[in-house]
Amino acid sequence: MKSWNRELKLAIKAGIKAKEIVMEIYNKPFAVEIKDDDSPVTSADKKCDKFLRDYLSKHFPTYGFLTEESYDDFKRLKKKLIWIIDPVDGTKDFVAKDNEFAINIALCYKHRIVVGVVVIPAYDEIYFASLNHGAFYQKGQQNPVKIHVNDKITDLTVFSSVFHFTDEEKEIIERNKDRVSNVLKKGSALKECLIAKGEGEVTIRTSGMTKEWDTAAPQIIVEEAGGVFLARDGKEITYNREDVYNRTGYIVANR
């Protein structure tokens, strides 16, 4: 069985350096542009994207890339190994300065995620996992601790998006209100990471607007922590697809 230890270690190092780039911009006034899909982008997205591509390609020159802020020429489809990156997951959170944005770095091998790193820059936190080696959480300079989902089936905490909470999601929660005690708004990949850490149980995305870079890194962290991360039709989510949208939405749960 292949170990992904080198890739994981360097992805963590890249994430820590990227955090510094992002926070330097976050703590000063910055401009916001609107992309063709009406989503915001800042210099943090662009600088972090370039840094991560440069850093990881230096160490892994044969690996492909799929990132939110770089042109996709589809050459990645012919590669077995590609990095899937969202340099600032939750740009709306970044612009709102609510601290709930992330840096997502994942490695895909033959359409499956084998390494995932999620950095929460404003909280100085890192969540990471590699295939068959568990999921971990690190706060600042403290030693990493292994994390695991909880086993609750009642008194559930559901995490919803800060900016993308749909009526359908609200209806699903309402139908299950006998089991749901709390609905908390959390940004970006923080929702999934908190489930992996045992601090909540469910998050649902009904829209088909998320893309591979939104889910790749948090998916392996949830799964290695013992949780479930599936498309809403119950199918496994695979990666390095031609169509990068998660068309059916997804559901993440502790069990």
Side-chain angles (χ1 to χ4, degrees), residues 74-93:
F74 295 103
K75 290 180 181 178
R76 62 182 172 81
L77 295 174
K78 297 181 180 179
K79 293 182 178 285
K80 292 180 180 179
L81 283 156
I82 70 158
W83 291 104
I84 301 177
I85 294 168
D86 192 342
V88 179
D89 178 29
T91 301
K92 286 187 176 180
D93 296 280

Side-chain angles (χ1 to χ4, degrees), residues 14-15 17-23 25 35 41-58 64-72 83-89 91 94 102-106 213-214:
K17 291 177 182 288
K19 175 190 71 174
E20 296 170 1
I21 294 169
V22 168
M23 289 306 292
I25 296 168
K35 296 190 287 189
V41 64
T42 72
S43 58
D45 299 80
K46 296 176 181 179
K47 286 185 178 180
C48 186
D49 186 88
K50 183 179 187 306
F51 165 76
L52 290 171
R53 286 185 64 110
D54 289 349
Y55 184 92
L56 291 170
S57 62
K58 180 178 72 173
F65 283 88
L66 172 64
T67 84
E68 182 172 18
E69 304 306 335
S70 297
Y71 174 71
D72 184 9
W83 291 104
I84 301 177
I85 294 168
D86 192 342
V88 179
D89 178 29
T91 301
F94 185 90
I103 299 167
N104 296 345
I105 305 168
W213 46 75
D214 295 304

Side-chain angles (χ1 to χ4, degrees), residues 4 49 62 72 87 100 106 108 139 143 168 219 240 255:
W4 302 101
D49 186 88
T62 63
D72 184 9
E100 305 245 316
C108 174
K139 172 74 172 178
N143 291 328
E168 186 178 2
Q219 178 171 342
N240 197 17
R255 54 182 296 174

